[in-house]
């Protein structure tokens, strides 16, 4: 009994040792990226946008970037996996752009348009990074030979490089729908149910026509 407490603490320390010491990669996974967005809202948007409606729209845009905007994009259009080196380069680029925006003197509509432009730029860069890896990982002749480090943009952690499944390659993922709407769909056979409903309705209509 006397050893149980020390052993428990030792086990806890061992578990903590395996946790990642920092969060890298896809934009929404990086804490510094989020911190810069919060800073941008407080130091630039709040004092430099006077119109109330414009300010609300701008804050909503920043909150989306701070939240799951990039994550949803990564899994709704692609597998959600990317080469870690490429994404780190993307993060450095994003940080540089945010630092530049923190120095801007733009106001009101001009500032909002600049932030919309920033979102588009980062989305297109993220698209390129995700697409590059997906094309390689979906090629049965090349995927087994991939050697670089991969990052999982869905779970914000490193992943083993491997060939992607058909569902990941052809954007047919239940998990993507679940992420977007917050809960998994219970019935996967949507097409089958739809056909059954149409046939039943046709049968009812046929009976009605005969009765008339």
């Amino acid at each position: 009994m006397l050893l149980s407490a020390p052993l428990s603490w030792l086990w806890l320390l061992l578990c903590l040792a395996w946790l990642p010491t920092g969060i890298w990669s896809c934009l929404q996974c990086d804490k510094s990226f989020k911190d810069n967005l919060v800073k941008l809202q407080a130091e630039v948007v709040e004092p430099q946008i006077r119109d109330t409606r414009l300010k609300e729209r701008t804050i909503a845009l920043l909150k989306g970037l701070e939240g799951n905007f990039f994550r949803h994009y990564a899994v709704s259009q692609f597998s959600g996996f990317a080469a870690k080196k490429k994404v780190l380069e993307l993060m450095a680029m994003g940080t540089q752009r945010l630092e530049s925006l923190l120095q801007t003197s733009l106001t009101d509509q001009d500032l909002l348009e600049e932030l919309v432009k920033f979102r588009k730029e980062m989305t297109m860069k993220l698209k390129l990074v995700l697409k590059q890896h997906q094309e390689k990982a979906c090629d049965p002749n090349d995927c087994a030979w991939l050697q670089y480090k991969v990052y999982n943009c869905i779970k914000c952690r490193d992943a083993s490089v491997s060939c992607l499944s058909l569902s990941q390659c052809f954007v047919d993922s239940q998990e993507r729908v679940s992420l977007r709407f917050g809960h998994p769909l219970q019935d996967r056979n949507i097409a089958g149910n739809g056909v059954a409903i149409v046939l039943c309705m046709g049968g009812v209509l046929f009976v009605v026509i005969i009765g008339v």
Side-chain angles (χ1 to χ4, degrees):
M1 291 297 294
L2 293 176
L3 294 175
S4 60
L7 287 174
S8 298
W9 281 106
L10 179 60
W11 176 252
L12 177 61
L13 290 173
L14 287 173
C15 292
L16 290 174
W18 286 98
L19 292 176
T21 55
I23 296 178
W24 295 94
S25 177
C26 288
L27 299 170
Q28 85 291 342
C29 297
D30 191 277
K31 186 177 182 299
S32 63
F33 185 80
K34 291 186 175 183
D35 290 342
N36 279 328
L37 289 170
V38 172
K39 190 175 181 181
L40 186 64
Q41 177 183 331
E43 298 182 9
V44 178
V45 173
E46 293 289 353
Q48 292 175 212
I49 295 186
R50 294 174 291 273
D51 184 274
T52 303
R53 291 185 178 180
L54 283 178
K55 182 177 293 188
E56 290 176 351
R57 288 171 57 192
T58 306
I59 292 175
L61 183 149
L62 292 178
K63 291 294 184 184
L65 298 183
E66 183 184 344
N68 286 328
F69 175 84
F70 293 113
R71 182 170 181 254
H72 282 159
Y73 179 81
V75 298
S76 65
Q77 302 297 322
F78 299 95
S79 66
F81 293 86
K84 187 171 182 178
K85 179 181 178 181
K86 294 293 184 179
V87 185
L88 290 176
E89 293 173 357
L90 174 64
M91 180 51 58
M93 185 185 307
T95 299
Q96 185 177 11
R97 282 286 282 120
L98 283 175
E99 290 175 352
S100 175
L101 287 170
L102 285 168
Q103 305 301 319
T104 185
S105 59
L106 295 175
T107 61
D108 296 318
Q109 186 67 39
D110 292 336
L111 178 55
L112 174 57
E113 290 178 358
E114 186 65 22
L115 291 175
V116 170
K117 179 181 176 182
F118 166 72
R119 180 178 64 181
K120 181 178 180 180
E121 288 176 357
M122 298 309 298
T123 302
M124 292 299 100
K125 296 293 184 181
L126 178 60
K127 175 183 178 180
L128 181 61
V129 169
L130 292 166
K131 185 177 180 181
Q132 285 177 342
H133 172 69
Q134 183 153 317
E135 288 178 346
K136 295 177 182 178
C138 288
D139 188 331
N141 297 320
D142 295 336
C143 64
W145 302 97
L146 298 179
Q147 300 293 325
Y148 55 79
K149 293 181 179 180
V150 174
Y151 198 85
N152 184 334
C153 294
I154 304 172
K155 298 181 179 180
C156 292
R157 66 187 185 191
D158 290 342
S160 300
V161 60
S162 61
C163 300
L164 294 177
S165 65
L166 286 176
S167 62
Q168 291 172 314
C169 293
F170 292 100
V171 194
D172 180 22
S173 174
Q174 171 73 13
E175 183 176 9
R176 293 171 193 169
V177 178
S178 301
L179 284 170
R180 189 171 185 84
F181 294 98
H183 55 80
L185 295 177
Q186 298 300 319
D187 194 345
R188 296 172 180 267
N189 191 20
I190 297 175
N193 288 341
V195 172
I197 292 172
V198 171
L199 290 174
C200 289
M201 292 179 64
V204 171
L205 180 60
F206 179 73
V207 171
V208 170
I209 293 174
I210 292 177
V212 174

